[in-house]
Structure formats: C-alpha cells, structure tokens
Amino acid sequence: MTGSPRYAYRPIVDHPKFRWPGGAGVAVWVITNVEHYPFGHPGIPVNERSAAADPDVLNHSWRDYGPRVGMWRLFDCLGELGVPVSATLNSEVCDEYPQLVEEGCRRGWEWIGHGTNNSVRLSGLTEDEEHELVHTALDRIASATGQRPMGWLGPGLVESHRTPDILRAAGIEYLCDWVADDLPFPLAAEGGELLCLPYSIELNDTELLLRQHLTGEQYRQRLVDQFEQLCRDADAHGIGRVMAIPLHPFLAGQAHRMRYLHDALNHIASSNASWMASGTDIVEQYRALGAM
C-alpha cells in the first residue's frame, strides 16, 4: 500500500499512451495565487526576524504589494502572451480587492477555491468549521464571479484527514494539494473520486525565489529546463505530461523579475510541444481521452 490510503501506486511508465490536443506532449497551466493575508495574522515572510514583531509591518506590507502592484504586472504579462490562467482565490479577496476579481473575470480567468484567506489552514478546524469554511469560500466566489469553482487548492496545501470528502460533497472535481505526479490521478473520497491535478512545489516561486534565492535568470532557466525535460519524457514514452507554473504576485510580480518570467513563458507557449490550458481544460481533456 502507498503512503496514502486514498490513492494507489502507479509508475508513470505504466500509464496508457496519449498526447494532448494538437499532438502536444506537455499540457502547461499557469496558476496565479490571488490571496488575502489579514493584518496581524501569520503569512509567508520575506524577513524571518520581522515575523516575530507585533505588528509585523515589514512582511505584511511586502505581501500587500501583490494585490496593489504585482498582480497588475501579471495581468499585463499573461494577457500579452495570451496565456490561459487558473487563479487560486481566497474568497475574502472578493471583498478586500474586488478590482482584482473584476479584472480576472474580464480576462476570462478560471477561479479555483483557495479557502477564505491564506492565514487559516484546514488542519486546525473541527469538521463543522471546515465544512462551513469550504462552503463559505465556494459560495462567495460563485456569487462574485458567476463561476462556481471546479478545483481547490488548500491554503498552504494543507488538509485535514476529511478534506477530500468535504470537497467532493461540495461539488469540487479536482484537487491540487497532492503533488505526487506529472499526470492527473484519482483520489478516493466519500461518494466518489477527486482527480488530483499536478501542481508544483519544485516550480513554485515561493520555493525558487524566496527559499532558494534564485536570480531572475536562474528562475527563467529553471522553468525552461522543466518544460524541455517533460517534452523529452513525453516523447520517449509516448505519454503526455502536465507542467504547473504557480505564481505569487508579491514574488513573480516584482518589477525586476518580470522580463525573466515573460521570456520563459514566451519560450514555452511558442513551442509546438506545449498545450497551454486552464486546470479545467486539462481535467476535461484527460477524462475525454479516457487516459486514466
């Protein structure tokens, strides 16, 4: 038995052969994290020493640069390239930063449930509290965007033991927390299954830019290297792959990094080996191919 009772072991080389639309070897999806960090609550820090302060002005205001400035650079960059976008959305953003939601809707972004804010994690809640949080988040996103999310990413990729069951009952079809594969795979839940869609810690800008301290040029190269290896994998085995590119506006949206992100995405999107898609596009195509 695998380390998780919710999914079975499947070596990727045993997957049925398939290609993505247009014969592409790699489905690429770009995920912008559209988040709210309440003042006085914990969040991703750029300066660990300041995180112990009360109030933690440095880290809070650094994160707040994202919705105020960085996200607008990402709108311009991704719009110029014509890249489909799937945005993980804290539901409190709908009230705190409504212009972001309005602009994302105008641009046809897909919205993925991402909790109420990014300081509350599901693992610390009672079952009733978690059920209420999930439904509150999904209902608020649906009312603000006209689009009820099909996907979910937990704040911090954190779940409780019952999260997949609660999400399945709430109508969620795909989940991004389980980063175990380069292809979608089924996750057992009460009442049926969820499909795990590849997200990425290895390519997440919080890991590469904040923790590994990559330069802009190194970040660009890391994205390109990942894409090109996945292309080789797909060609060698005749089995398509999925590449996720998660972005946070207070990191990837900084001015000194934009040219490198733009160059990497342009390289990937202009390749005949890529199929640029939303999360829902990938899930629907994967199921239609009967590739599972």
Side-chain angles (χ1 to χ4, degrees):
M1 177 178 288
T2 182
S4 170
R6 289 190 180 268
Y7 63 91
Y9 173 63
R10 180 196 65 193
I12 198 164
V13 293
D14 287 352
H15 193 284
K17 297 183 185 302
F18 79 100
R19 304 288 285 192
W20 296 107
V26 183
V28 181
W29 69 308
V30 175
I31 308 101
T32 57
N33 291 266
V34 187
E35 297 165 335
H36 175 230
Y37 292 87
F39 185 69
H41 292 263
I44 296 172
V46 67
N47 186 305
E48 294 285 353
R49 289 172 295 177
S50 180
D54 183 19
D56 178 11
V57 172
L58 188 159
N59 287 306
H60 177 82
S61 57
W62 170 72
R63 291 188 295 265
D64 220 24
Y65 184 90
R68 296 172 69 89
V69 183
M71 185 59 70
W72 300 95
R73 287 199 186 101
L74 291 178
F75 278 131
D76 289 343
C77 174
L78 299 171
E80 177 187 335
L81 293 169
V83 173
V85 176
S86 300
T88 64
L89 182 63
N90 292 155
S91 62
E92 289 179 7
V93 170
C94 301
D95 301 304
E96 298 288 336
Y97 319 122
Q99 294 94 330
L100 295 182
V101 177
E102 292 166 6
E103 184 66 13
C105 287
R106 187 182 74 80
R107 292 172 180 265
W109 284 15
E110 176 188 8
W111 302 108
I112 295 171
H114 191 36
T116 51
N117 65 58
N118 230 47
S119 295
V120 176
R121 304 297 164 88
L122 301 184
S123 60
L125 305 179
T126 67
E127 182 171 357
D128 288 344
E129 289 170 339
E130 183 176 2
H131 183 276
E132 181 178 0
L133 184 148
V134 167
H135 283 269
T136 295
L138 295 176
D139 290 347
R140 183 68 188 99
I141 293 170
S143 67
T145 67
Q147 177 190 136
R148 191 169 184 84
M150 292 177 60
W152 180 272
L153 176 75
L157 281 72
V158 172
E159 298 183 3
S160 74
H161 288 291
R162 59 188 167 262
T163 300
D165 306 321
I166 292 173
L167 293 175
R168 178 70 174 75
I172 291 296
E173 297 189 20
Y174 71 87
L175 182 57
C176 310
D177 298 338
W178 299 72
V179 293
D181 213 310
D182 284 335
L183 282 174
F185 63 92
L187 190 80
E190 289 182 6
E193 290 181 337
L194 293 166
L195 196 63
C196 288
L197 185 59
Y199 190 68
S200 180
I201 297 303
E202 289 281 338
L203 287 191
N204 198 304
D205 56 1
T206 56
E207 176 61 31
L208 298 182
L209 301 176
L210 191 61
R211 300 189 180 100
Q212 296 186 28
H213 307 292
L214 265 58
T215 66
E217 290 181 353
Q218 290 170 330
Y219 177 57
R220 174 181 60 194
Q221 193 61 48
R222 190 70 61 91
L223 296 176
V224 170
D225 287 347
Q226 177 84 357
F227 172 68
E228 292 184 349
Q229 181 60 49
L230 289 175
C231 290
R232 287 191 286 270
D233 292 344
D235 290 342
H237 298 283
I239 301 167
R241 297 294 196 271
V242 176
M243 176 175 173
I245 304 177
L247 306 173
H248 292 79
F250 47 79
L251 282 165
Q254 295 286 343
H256 61 95
R257 294 185 176 120
M258 288 308 300
R259 60 178 286 196
Y260 302 106
L261 174 64
H262 182 282
D263 287 353
L265 290 175
N266 186 52
H267 173 86
I268 293 167
S270 61
S271 171
N272 291 332
S274 70
W275 175 51
M276 306 300 293
S278 70
T280 295
D281 290 337
I282 295 170
V283 167
E284 291 180 347
Q285 183 67 24
Y286 187 74
R287 285 175 170 160
L289 288 168
M292 290 184 281

